[in-house]
Amino acid sequence: NITNLVIKASAAGAECGLARLHCYKNSNLGRHSMVTDYGYESQIVPVVSLDQALVELGFDDRPVTALKIDVEGFEPAVIAGASQTLKRTNVVILEYSPELSGGSGLSPEDMVARLCNGGLNPIALRGTGGTRPIGMDALLAVSRGAAVRPLAFADARFAPCLRPPRLYVQPQPAR
């Protein structure tokens, strides 16, 4: 039995409301997306900011050791709704997909600025374990065609503690 788990049936986003969630095929239920219409069915779902969800659950004053976000290009919206949460978060791990996010009108640059303004520094996760700093120039290069998965933003005290299984840095295929 799991007794320390809370499930909230909502999407996380910049603000509370409703949004369309585009479904992916049944073989990959983790690929549903708020930004990409795959041509399958869709549903209107409730959206809540991460800050508001944590207030509603009574967790708004607790420190956040690690925040993992993988929402198929909707990461900038989730970060936009987490300004208070970021102030007490040590590490944010996310997929950085500027082409996917930017193509839907979200701003990866604003997301990076929010993370940095929250006191978190961008770092790449090495495939062999550990981390390396990644500067703004490298992040902008990613925006021009390379994909970095995953990327972390960490309070400087916590960056040396991250030991991820892999880092993928690969060019996006030419279109």
Side-chain angles (χ1 to χ4, degrees):
N1 278 344
I2 299 174
T3 58
N4 62 349
L5 176 70
V6 178
I7 297 173
K8 183 156 181 68
S10 300
E15 53 192 37
C16 298
L18 297 172
R20 183 167 302 280
L21 177 66
H22 302 283
C23 298
Y24 193 67
K25 54 188 169 183
N26 289 334
S27 62
N28 186 348
L29 298 178
R31 195 165 179 190
H32 300 328
S33 176
M34 303 291 272
V35 299
T36 302
D37 185 348
Y38 298 109
Y40 298 99
E41 65 184 64
S42 65
Q43 298 179 21
I44 300 298
V45 297
V47 178
V48 63
S49 71
L50 188 56
D51 287 342
Q52 184 61 37
L54 294 177
V55 166
E56 290 173 8
L57 295 168
F59 299 142
D60 55 313
D61 61 345
R62 294 190 185 182
V64 178
T65 302
L67 178 59
K68 166 77 166 68
I69 304 170
D70 182 356
V71 290
E72 302 300 317
F74 204 58
E75 287 81 359
V78 174
I79 294 299
S83 60
Q84 296 305 308
T85 303
L86 291 175
K87 292 177 183 177
R88 55 183 201 283
T89 300
N90 295 327
V91 177
V92 175
I93 301 170
L94 52 78
E95 285 192 346
Y96 182 61
S97 305
E99 186 173 295
L100 183 59
S101 298
S104 65
L106 299 172
S107 173
E109 296 81 10
D110 285 352
M111 177 186 75
V112 169
R114 288 176 195 274
L115 289 161
C116 292
N117 290 339
L120 303 170
N121 302 306
I123 53 176
L125 308 180
R126 295 181 190 268
T128 57
T131 62
R132 67 176 171 81
I134 184 168
M136 294 307 286
D137 289 342
L139 286 174
L140 291 175
V142 170
S143 297
R144 292 187 294 269
V148 175
R149 297 188 182 103
L151 184 67
F153 288 78
D155 181 303
R157 297 169 295 150
F158 290 88
C161 301
L162 296 176
R163 300 278 179 231
R166 295 182 180 261
L167 165 70
Y168 298 100
V169 179
Q170 59 191 27
Q172 298 262 339
R175 293 185 181 203

